[in-house]
Amino acid sequence: MSDNSIELRGLTKRFDNTVAVDDLSLTVRDDETYGFLGPNGAGKSTTISMLLDYRRPTEGTVRVLGQDPHTDGAEVRSRIGTLPDGYSTYDKLSARRHLRFVIDTKGADDDPEELLERVGLTDVIDDPAGTFSQGMKQRLALAMALVGDPELLILDEPFTGLDPHGVRTVRDIVRAERERDTAVFFSSHILGQVELVCDRIGILHSGRLIAEGTLDELKAGIDADEDASIEDIFVAYTNDSVRATTEGIR
């Protein structure tokens, strides 16, 4: 059995003449939280869409919990929780009914009230989702991702649209899931939150993984000061990548 929840090998995705993801190889271990960083348009969401089999790779292989999400999709989906980019809720359905739908689909026995309490939505449990703010919908979607005690959480920009309380809630949930040995893979361009919860970090730029490691390893890779922030590190690596690409063109 593999000790990796995610294994990507040579993953490439092209759209006509555009290379959205370029020869990406990475692993996420069963016992870690992995932060996938990059600016908008770096290829983060495209990578996640291939993990979930929403898009097929042009080249390369994907393994999620040791399985191919294309050929073993139903089993993979039963074992993971996802918060995808561009998710939608049903305006006329209550938060409780959203949770009940996912619970029934997965054949789980979760209590909707307990899940909604975790994300801070117990006061609106029977309100229609159409009355929710974007941040509340984001928290509802996170509660849906937690159904069935998933072995792996895949979260695409989980902090988007959240107020400081919502950001702290997501951070606490990620830590709690990590403590119960759930692997967590999440993308973000909100850099400050990543260093607070991640065991390892990968930096994606123009579809390529340009750096990977613990925060200390990333600092060492650019001879950064010990007190350098993740923002400083990110800027240094992406600037080096742009400079190397430009020099290569010359």
Side-chain angles (χ1 to χ4, degrees), residues 14-35:
R14 299 187 185 93
F15 299 97
D16 296 325
N17 295 324
T18 301
V19 180
V21 177
D22 189 1
D23 194 26
L24 173 62
S25 296
L26 64 79
T27 60
V28 178
R29 296 189 297 269
D30 292 345
D31 61 349
E32 72 176 338
T33 296
Y34 188 103

Side-chain angles (χ1 to χ4, degrees), residues 55-70:
R55 297 186 186 275
R56 295 294 296 150
T58 307
E59 298 172 12
T61 60
V62 179
R63 290 293 180 270
V64 177
L65 299 175
Q67 297 179 291
D68 183 335
H70 182 60

Side-chain angles (χ1 to χ4, degrees), residues 82-142:
T82 64
L83 174 58
D85 182 47
Y87 71 90
S88 60
T89 56
Y90 296 94
D91 286 351
K92 294 183 180 180
L93 293 187
S94 68
R96 185 195 301 272
R97 289 186 65 190
H98 276 85
L99 266 295
R100 178 51 62 192
F101 174 78
V102 180
I103 290 167
D104 291 345
T105 299
K106 280 195 164 185
D109 60 358
D110 299 78
D111 182 343
E113 293 189 15
E114 290 181 0
L115 288 169
L116 290 167
E117 182 177 8
R118 289 189 69 184
V119 299
L121 292 178
T122 50
D123 290 345
V124 294
I125 188 170
D126 290 312
D127 291 355
T131 65
F132 289 5
S133 68
Q134 183 57 43
M136 293 166 70
K137 290 178 181 179
Q138 185 87 344
R139 285 186 278 156
L140 173 58
L142 179 58

